[in-house]
Amino acid sequence: MMTCEIFRSTFHADTENAALLGHLRTCDRCLDFAANVDPDVMFRALGGEDLVPPGGVELFVDDVMRQVRVRGAEKVATIQRPVSWMRRLAIAATLATAVTSGSLVYRHNSAIPSSMMTSIKRAPIAAHQIALVTKPIVETYESQSATIMEVPNEPNDDVKIVMIFDENLPADL
Amino acid sequence: MMPTTPVVETDDRQLVQTIREGDADAFETLVRRKTTKVYALCYRIIGNAEDAKDISQLVFLKLWENLEKYDPAYAFDTWLYRMVTNVAIDFMRNKQSRDNAVNSTLRLVKTEADAEQGVVVQRKEVENVFNDVSSVLSPKQKTIFIMNQMEDLPSAEIAKILGCRESTVRNHLFNARKAMQAQLQKRYPEYAQLWRSR
């Protein structure tokens, strides 16, 4: 057990004696004495002992281990979904093809004269017009399976509009 | 003080080997064993309990991620201390760039009675004084000073930890002492008379 008397009789500048330094860190009076002998020891008073983090060692360790487990899980998740170099190559090739094709189509469309573009745009309209060719006017129509409805017309209009619903309606009507 | 006795070193190496073999519980044992030492150094370098706790946790996470890189030919504590100082110095550099005025508002309040009684050094006061005057040191200077003066590590050991020459460590110590003396003279003349130029 280091006493103040022993400390003061044995302390000298530049000492590295652990017991002396230990006493220095627990006794303010001896620190005052030692600082007059060796000014460097003044801040030595702050050192020496290990310190406990806020909340205690166990809480600290729990926190660290929790973070370690989280990082471990993230690592495992990354490893479980590895993308092989072949697959990466395939993805890269697909992307490159898509970009190149898109670029070529864009350039091709830009190179087409505007007159051709017009005709291309009109083509579906023409087809649509063909589909809407007017059917011949039917004067009379009789069928057992037909449902015929007369649409009310204007009093002075002599054209009668009739709606016919028939599963067996001829193709030319 | 970080112990460097051969027995402890052997245990640490064995523990690291067990962790490398996949035993997560062994890592928990290692964390528990080193927490107070790592936290103490972080706290002394950073000077703030909450920041020191965060930095200590970061050190252990880095330790976990880099354990494969540890070479058992070297003392484990030296390797661990290198990790602590690297992380703490980085933190200090970032903090200095964020807030250059850190600790600059700390002032030691001493009564006339204290002065008459002579300089009876109280631990908390010393801590405040240290935080204040050490704010002028570079993170590396401060770390070296703390390892030497508070962790009682010899210059040769500090050089190993920081991966530099012993003469570099001694230069840093000399410069740190000079800079702190100047600060002490400026801010705390009652202490400066104690800390004479050597």
Side-chain angles (χ1 to χ4, degrees):
Chain A
M1 175 80 182
M2 175 73 64
T3 63
C4 293
E5 287 71 32
I6 297 172
F7 177 86
R8 290 177 196 205
S9 60
T10 51
F11 180 81
H12 60 86
D14 297 326
T15 184
E16 290 188 354
N17 184 316
L20 288 174
L21 291 173
H23 181 74
L24 182 73
R25 286 166 177 153
T26 57
C27 178
D28 288 339
R29 295 275 169 188
C30 285
L31 176 63
D32 187 20
F33 167 84
N36 281 297
V37 177
D38 178 6
D40 274 359
V41 300
M42 190 167 84
F43 292 131
R44 277 183 185 262
L46 299 176
E49 64 194 13
D50 294 339
L51 301 174
V52 176
V57 173
E58 286 308 312
L59 188 65
F60 179 91
V61 173
D62 286 349
D63 281 349
V64 170
M65 293 310 294
R66 194 178 306 118
Q67 290 181 57
V68 163
R69 276 190 283 272
V70 168
R71 290 201 181 193
E74 283 171 356
K75 212 172 181 179
V76 167
T78 311
I79 292 166
Q80 278 176 347
R81 286 182 291 163
V83 182
S84 68
W85 67 271
M86 283 289 284
R87 198 167 178 177
R88 287 179 193 196
L89 198 65
I91 291 167
T94 308
L95 285 173
T97 308
V99 169
T100 310
S101 309
S103 160
L104 284 174
V105 167
Y106 177 75
R107 280 186 194 177
H108 181 68
N109 284 349
S110 304
I112 293 172
S114 56
S115 57
M116 277 184 76
M117 290 292 284
T118 311
S119 65
I120 289 167
K121 281 178 185 170
R122 280 178 182 172
I125 297 167
H128 188 62
Q129 280 175 341
I130 290 164
L132 294 175
V133 166
T134 311
K135 298 283 183 182
I137 296 168
V138 180
E139 296 292 338
T140 56
Y141 183 78
E142 285 182 14
S143 172
Q144 293 291 326
S145 59
T147 304
I148 301 169
M149 291 175 67
E150 283 188 14
V151 178
N153 55 350
E154 295 293 320
N156 297 329
D157 193 356
D158 53 354
V159 179
K160 193 167 269 186
I161 300 169
V162 179
M163 294 179 77
I164 303 169
F165 300 94
D166 189 357
E167 286 181 352
N168 302 317
L169 196 69
D172 58 339
L173 285 182
Chain B
M1 180 173 64
M2 181 71 81
T4 52
T5 53
V7 175
V8 173
E9 282 309 316
T10 309
D11 283 351
D12 287 346
R13 288 192 180 104
Q14 284 172 352
L15 206 50
V16 170
Q17 186 54 38
T18 314
I19 298 164
R20 282 174 169 180
E21 286 163 6
D23 187 349
D25 290 344
F27 183 70
E28 191 169 338
T29 306
L30 185 70
V31 175
R32 191 170 283 111
R33 183 185 291 180
K34 301 294 179 187
T35 290
T36 53
K37 299 175 194 313
V38 168
Y39 174 75
L41 181 57
C42 286
Y43 177 77
R44 283 168 189 141
I45 294 173
I46 293 163
N48 172 296
E50 283 304 321
D51 285 344
K53 184 183 162 190
D54 291 345
I55 296 302
S56 305
Q57 288 186 345
L58 190 59
V59 166
F60 283 113
L61 288 175
K62 278 185 175 285
L63 185 71
W64 169 254
E65 286 169 353
N66 292 287
L67 213 54
E68 288 299 319
K69 295 177 186 169
Y70 169 62
D71 181 356
Y74 298 94
F76 178 77
D77 282 344
T78 304
W79 188 69
L80 175 63
Y81 253 37
R82 178 177 292 190
M83 205 167 277
V84 174
T85 52
N86 283 343
V87 176
I89 287 172
D90 277 354
F91 175 83
M92 291 291 286
R93 282 179 179 149
N94 290 334
K95 194 176 179 184
Q96 273 186 356
S97 63
R98 284 198 309 270
D99 182 10
N100 280 326
V102 66
N103 289 330
S104 64
T105 53
L106 275 175
R107 281 287 178 276
L108 181 69
V109 179
K110 287 186 69 67
T111 63
E112 270 189 33
D114 287 337
E116 281 170 11
Q117 286 168 6
V119 185
V120 178
V121 186
Q122 301 295 322
R123 219 150 301 272
K124 193 63 193 168
E125 285 182 353
V126 174
E127 196 174 331
N128 287 343
V129 172
F130 177 74
N131 284 337
D132 201 357
V133 298
S134 68
S135 66
V136 297
L137 304 182
S138 72
K140 199 163 192 174
Q141 280 178 335
K142 187 175 177 184
T143 302
I144 289 174
F145 184 86
I146 286 168
M147 283 197 285
N148 181 255
Q149 293 292 307
M150 298 179 198
E151 304 290 326
D152 299 336
L153 292 173
S155 306
E157 182 70 12
I158 297 171
K160 272 189 205 169
I161 289 167
L162 297 178
C164 62
R165 285 182 297 184
E166 201 179 333
S167 58
T168 309
V169 172
R170 282 199 294 266
N171 279 341
H172 276 303
L173 275 173
F174 177 80
N175 291 332
R177 199 171 275 131
K178 277 286 187 197
M180 289 172 76
Q181 262 177 27
Q183 283 300 305
L184 211 57
Q185 185 68 50
K186 190 172 149 190
R187 300 183 184 197
Y188 305 102
E190 68 274 25
Y191 285 125
Q193 62 178 332
L194 280 179
W195 207 5
R196 297 179 299 267
S197 182
R198 300 181 69 209

